[in-house]
Structures are given as C-alpha cells and as structure tokens.
Amino acid sequence: MKNINSNGVYFLKEAITVFRLNLLSNILSLFSIALIFFMFAMMFSGWRVSNHVAEALQTEAEINVYYNKSIGTEGALQLAGQIEGIYGVKEARLVNESEAYNRMEKILGEESKVLKVFDENPFSSYLEVKIDLEQTDLVLKGLKILPGIEHVRNNRDVLDRVRSIAGTIRIFGTMVLLAVAICTMVIVSHMIRQGIEQNKEQINTLRLLGAPEMFIGSPFLLEGLLLTLGGAAISGLAAALTIRQINFQMASTLPFMPLPSAGVLTHQMLLAIGFLGIVLGIAGSFLGLASARKS
Amino acid sequence: MKAKAVIEAAGVSLRYPDGTLALNNIDLQIQQGELAFVTGPSGSGKTSLLKLLLGMEYPTSGYVEVLGQDMNLTQASAIRKLRRRIGPVFQEFKLLKGRTVLENVILGQRFLDVPQTQMKENSLDALKKVGLEHKALSLVENLSWGEHQRVAIARAVARKPLLILADEPTGNLDKENALKILDLLASFKDNKTSVLITTHATHLMKSEYTNMIIKIDQGALEWERIG
C-alpha cells in the first residue's frame, strides 16, 4: 500500500509512457471506446426518450363518457364530480359542443374545411375522463353503475397498446443497455490485455527485479481507466451535440410529441456515461489484468 | 569469524522439460563478500546456474539456498522478496525503452523500502560510479552498447544488493571495454556484497579481486578458491 501511495505519480507517468509507446494502437483503442460509448449514449438517450413518451402517453390516457342530454349541463357537471370519486380517475371535465368542434378543427388542420359541410355543429358534449392506465378495468366498472351515462368510449385497444409499448421499451432498452455495457467491458479488458502483451518484456524485467504484481499491474490499470474515461469524455461531448441537434429537429417536426428537455436528457446521459466509464474502466482493466496474468 | 554463505548448493541438477540436462549434480558455496567468476563454453550451463539462483528455474533435484532462502519449492512471493536483495545484470540488459537512464536506475528501487529522495541519490551515485552521471536524462535508446551495459550495472548496484549476479557482462565488448566492465563490477564487492559473474573472458580475470573461479562444462561444475 505504501508503495502504491508513494508511486502514484510514477504510475501515472508510466501509464502515459505506455500509451505513448504504442501511440497509434492506443489512439485507435481510444476512438473505439469512444465509439462504443457514443452508441451507448445514443441507446441510453433513445431509451430515456421512449420512456418519457410512454410515461407521458400513460399520464394522458383518457376515456370519453357520453351522457344522456336530458340531464343538462348542471347534471353533467354533477356526473363529472361523481366520476372523479371513482378510484383510478385523475380528472373528469365537461367538453361542450363548441370545444369538441374546435378540437377537431385543430386536429384536421387544413382539412378542417370538411366541417363546413355541416349546417350545425355535428359534435355533442361529453365528459373527458383522465385515468390511471393500470386501473382501467376498475374505472369502467365504476362508470357502469352511475346513472345518466349513455355510452363510454374507452379506447381500450389504444390504451392497451400504449401500455404494452411502454413495457416493451423498458425491457428492450434495459437489455440493449446491458448488452452494450458488457461489450464495452469485454473490449476494454481485451485492450488492456493487449497492452500487457505488448509490454511483456517490461513486465518480465520488473518481475526479475522482484516487483510485486500490483506494482507491475498498476500502470496498466491506470492506462485502462484513462482510456475508458477519455473515450467516455469524447463520446459524451459528441453525444451531447447530437442529442441537442436531434431534439431540435424532432421538436420542430413533431411538436405534439411530449419530448424531455435536451438539457435534462444531456445531463442524465453524461452522468450515465461518466459512471459507466469509471465502473467499466476499472472492471475491464482488472479483467484484462487477471486474464493476462493467467496466460 | 566465519563468513556467511550467500549461495549454497548441494547435489543440484536441473533438467529442462525437453530433457536437456543443464546442471548435473553440482555442489557450490560462495561466501559473503566474495567475487566469483563462472566460466565455460557456450551452452555449458552458466546462464542456467544464474537462472536457478534468481528463482527463474527450480532445481530438479538437490538443495539450493540463496541469501538464506531455500530455493526448492519456494513460493512466488518469497522468490520476489529474495530478488529484491539481488542486483541482477542481464545479458540483454533489460532496460525499459522510452525512459531515461535515471528513470531506469530508479525503477529498480521503487518497490523497495527506499524513500523517494534516497532513490534518486542512490541512482545518481551509482551512475557516477559507472561514469554515466552526465547521461542521466538521456533516453536509453540513445545510448551505445557499452553504455547500456553500464546503466544495467548502475540499476543493479543502486539497489544496494547483497548479491550481484551478472550474466555475460563482457559479451560483445572489445578487450579494453570488457576489462573496464569487469573492474567496475569487481569494485562493488565489499564486506556485505558478493558478486557472481559469468564470462567467456577468462584471460581478463584479475587475481587481485577474484576469490573463486567456477568452471562449468556440460552441466558439471568444479571450482577453486584463489588466495
């Protein structure tokens, strides 16, 4: 331990020397690691965006309740209050005929002129009920026993699909991230092992002089960690710029998409890359050192 | 008072996996503060003897002790500790490229319990003794063959070892330079430090500092003390 502490500067200098002596190969390794981390960063960001969108869609999950017009607006508002009392309902509000018309106009955009065909507003008022997606069945059961309800449009298929997409994204994203992390670790360990192989003679000399294995291995561990962190830093920078660009493009072409802010996404991505860089750098270096020692 | 034996071997044989018998039933004893030359033709077993003493090979049979360390069935950690008390000078120098002369000499002490400032002092002192103080900051790849040799010696002696093992330090050197190297290695012999040198150059050995000549031929060894 005493040697490790007092030789800290030496280990760092040695790591730099080892890097310098195999410059081309190490630069290629650095960029390979950066590329892997860049792919990881993109995967991570895609996963975060999909999660965010899926969560937003789930939050926005709603059903439409059409009531008997004989109860009038007063009755409809009372019904909305009763609906809000059902477990799983977040909010229930009345959408009158003109709001329904305006919404459709907005959705149709340039095609909204088709609505002019009608002499009167073809839309009827209804209750818009925001619900917890997981409690859909319970809400529908609760609605059935309320008086004054004529019809419920529950968008069941769409809601189920949203839930299934959210689950798939979560599982698939986690698996892909795990696969990229394992690949990174294997590649880093392989690079460290190669570095050790290239410096076999130096290692042999140190052994003959009586150097402890930890003393011999430390510069290589440090080199692995620096390579990984360097790769993570390069990829972090490139990914931050890319995310900003993609986010801008998506926000301007798909304005209705509930995207997370580029700043938050970049911050999360940089944290993930930094953490992964340290963990995989250490793990990969130890793995490489152990396998080189074995061989 | 009787001097301590730094190397003791009894009935030692070394056979390589391919069946070659490198050392055949040898007996040897070198005392503290002695300088011994190991001579013999190429392939006679000189380097094998040094490998055995440095723990690079284990004896097939017999008993070897170096600086009080039993070399039979010794654990790797014990061999490593033993090597820290030895100053080896390898035939092919084994200096690290891309590092300066001083860095190479200091490197041999980094894992010994030597304070940082003392390491530098020892190294500069050793470089002064081998006449290379002015090359301390040169990269080793810029040195001549003879200078490489002297840096390797400086690295060995800066460690203040109890035993210097030099493998063919005069190989590829002309007579004048070979003599200088042998004189230099002999100058490190003192009450504490013993020196063992393998060499072809028997005609360069001086009786004034030689205590022992060990002759090896086809793995068989005979030795005589001088003076």
Side-chain angles (χ1 to χ4, degrees):
Chain A
M1 200 62 201
K2 187 189 164 197
N3 283 332
I4 302 233
N5 290 337
S6 61
N7 283 316
V9 177
Y10 160 75
F11 291 146
L12 187 64
K13 272 180 78 176
E14 268 300 295
I16 293 167
T17 306
V18 169
F19 184 89
R20 195 168 39 83
L21 289 178
N22 301 304
L23 196 61
L24 187 66
S25 145
N26 281 319
I27 285 177
L28 288 175
S29 301
L30 180 71
F31 281 103
S32 303
I33 292 173
L35 210 61
I36 295 167
F37 273 119
F38 181 76
M39 286 194 283
F40 176 85
M42 290 293 101
M43 277 293 180
F44 177 82
S45 305
W47 178 68
R48 287 298 303 145
V49 169
S50 328
N51 266 347
H52 183 86
V53 171
E55 271 166 28
L57 287 175
Q58 286 198 54
T59 320
E60 295 294 314
E62 61 175 47
I63 54 177
N64 300 332
V65 174
Y66 293 88
Y67 55 88
N68 191 328
K69 294 294 171 287
S70 63
I71 65 171
T73 309
E74 196 65 30
L77 289 171
Q78 272 179 13
L79 184 61
Q82 285 174 314
I83 291 173
E84 273 186 339
I86 299 172
Y87 180 75
V89 173
K90 292 176 183 170
E91 190 191 355
R93 61 180 286 273
L94 178 66
V95 177
N96 60 28
E97 290 90 340
S98 58
E99 190 181 344
Y101 186 92
N102 292 338
R103 279 185 180 186
M104 188 49 79
E105 217 174 17
K106 236 183 199 174
I107 291 169
L108 293 175
E110 282 181 12
E111 306 297 322
S112 66
K113 52 185 178 251
V114 74
L115 294 174
K116 303 276 190 271
V117 174
F118 301 99
D119 297 330
E120 284 178 16
N121 183 351
F123 300 103
S124 54
S125 57
Y126 63 93
L127 292 170
E128 184 183 78
V129 182
K130 287 198 172 152
I131 60 163
D132 178 354
L133 201 59
E134 302 297 322
Q135 307 301 334
T136 311
D137 287 338
L138 214 60
V139 173
L140 292 176
K141 220 180 255 176
L143 288 174
K144 254 185 196 164
I145 54 168
L146 286 179
I149 294 176
E150 268 187 351
H151 168 63
V152 175
R153 201 175 76 194
N154 60 24
N155 306 318
R156 186 74 201 224
D157 284 353
V158 178
L159 294 180
D160 281 350
R161 208 168 297 157
V162 167
R163 197 162 51 180
S164 136
I165 287 171
T168 310
I169 285 172
R170 212 162 281 149
I171 295 167
F172 182 70
T174 310
M175 278 168 63
V176 169
L177 287 182
L178 204 69
V180 174
I182 291 170
C183 280
T184 312
M185 197 169 76
V186 169
I187 289 175
V188 169
S189 72
H190 183 69
M191 283 169 181
I192 300 303
R193 196 191 143 113
Q194 257 199 330
I196 290 170
E197 288 292 322
Q198 280 169 346
N199 292 282
K200 222 172 184 173
E201 219 181 298
Q202 169 186 339
I203 291 167
N204 204 25
T205 302
L206 285 166
R207 281 192 178 137
L208 289 174
L209 291 170
E213 288 298 312
M214 198 58 208
F215 178 93
I216 297 170
S218 291
F220 296 103
L221 286 178
L222 207 57
E223 189 204 4
L225 186 62
L226 291 177
L227 265 179
T228 319
L229 284 180
I234 294 171
S235 68
L237 192 72
L241 293 172
T242 312
I243 285 171
R244 189 158 295 197
Q245 195 58 31
I246 291 177
N247 200 280
F248 174 74
Q249 296 282 343
M250 280 180 79
S252 54
T253 48
L254 301 165
F256 54 83
M257 192 95 144
L259 294 172
S261 89
V264 171
L265 194 61
T266 307
H267 182 73
Q268 287 176 343
M269 180 275 294
L270 288 176
L271 276 179
I273 290 280
F275 174 74
L276 205 74
I278 295 171
V279 171
L280 293 185
I282 293 172
S285 301
F286 270 107
L287 204 70
L289 199 64
S291 73
R293 200 178 289 172
K294 228 182 231 178
S295 74
Chain B
M1 202 173 85
K2 203 186 160 195
K4 271 196 294 184
V6 287
I7 296 170
E8 219 169 348
V12 172
S13 293
L14 171 64
R15 189 183 287 277
Y16 287 115
D18 67 358
T20 311
L21 186 62
L23 296 172
N24 187 9
N25 196 27
I26 65 164
D27 296 312
L28 180 66
Q29 195 175 67
I30 297 175
Q31 311 289 351
Q32 191 173 29
E34 279 190 327
L35 186 143
F37 280 104
V38 183
T39 66
S42 294
S44 57
K46 300 190 294 293
T47 300
S48 294
L49 176 65
L50 251 60
K51 281 185 173 176
L52 197 72
L53 300 178
L54 206 52
M56 292 163 76
E57 298 290 349
Y58 289 100
T60 317
S61 62
Y63 175 79
V64 191
E65 199 180 283
V66 179
L67 297 173
Q69 176 67 57
D70 176 3
M71 304 298 281
N72 300 57
L73 305 169
T74 300
Q75 284 187 328
S77 60
I79 292 284
R80 223 173 279 144
K81 279 182 188 159
L82 168 72
R83 285 174 181 170
R84 290 177 207 159
R85 295 188 285 154
I86 296 175
V89 180
F90 304 103
Q91 201 171 352
E92 64 280 24
F93 319 128
K94 293 192 186 290
L95 299 176
L96 304 193
K97 285 177 193 162
R99 284 84 170 173
T100 65
V101 167
L102 185 62
E103 282 170 342
N104 265 279
V105 180
I106 286 179
L107 181 66
Q109 304 159 71
R110 284 208 177 270
F111 36 86
L112 309 178
D113 279 333
V114 182
Q116 201 84 11
T117 48
Q118 189 67 46
M119 277 196 276
K120 196 172 176 186
E121 214 171 281
N122 291 347
S123 306
L124 288 172
D125 190 40
L127 284 173
K128 197 173 176 181
K129 282 178 184 160
V130 300
L132 281 177
E133 201 186 12
H134 63 290
K135 296 260 181 169
L137 300 177
S138 304
L139 288 174
V140 286
E141 44 267 56
N142 296 335
L143 302 182
S144 68
W145 182 274
E147 285 170 335
H148 269 93
Q149 186 69 274
R150 284 189 281 158
V151 177
I153 294 172
R155 182 179 64 189
V157 298
R159 288 153 63 93
K160 303 204 179 301
L162 296 173
L163 175 64
I164 294 174
L165 295 177
D167 192 12
E168 293 285 1
T170 54
N172 297 321
L173 289 179
D174 56 40
K175 187 183 169 185
E176 192 188 342
N177 281 312
L179 203 57
K180 275 185 192 168
I181 290 291
L182 289 187
D183 286 347
L184 183 66
L185 279 167
S187 70
F188 296 114
K189 174 188 105 161
D190 60 22
N191 289 342
K192 273 186 177 175
T193 311
S194 313
V195 182
L196 185 79
I197 304 168
T198 68
T199 184
H200 277 101
T202 45
H203 57 290
L204 298 176
M205 295 184 292
K206 290 182 184 170
S207 58
E208 60 199 70
Y209 51 64
T210 307
N211 301 102
M212 201 174 172
I213 295 178
I214 302 159
K215 289 179 188 158
I216 301 189
D217 196 7
Q218 291 184 327
L221 181 148
E222 42 181 74
W223 48 275
E224 58 168 314
R225 285 193 189 281
I226 295 170

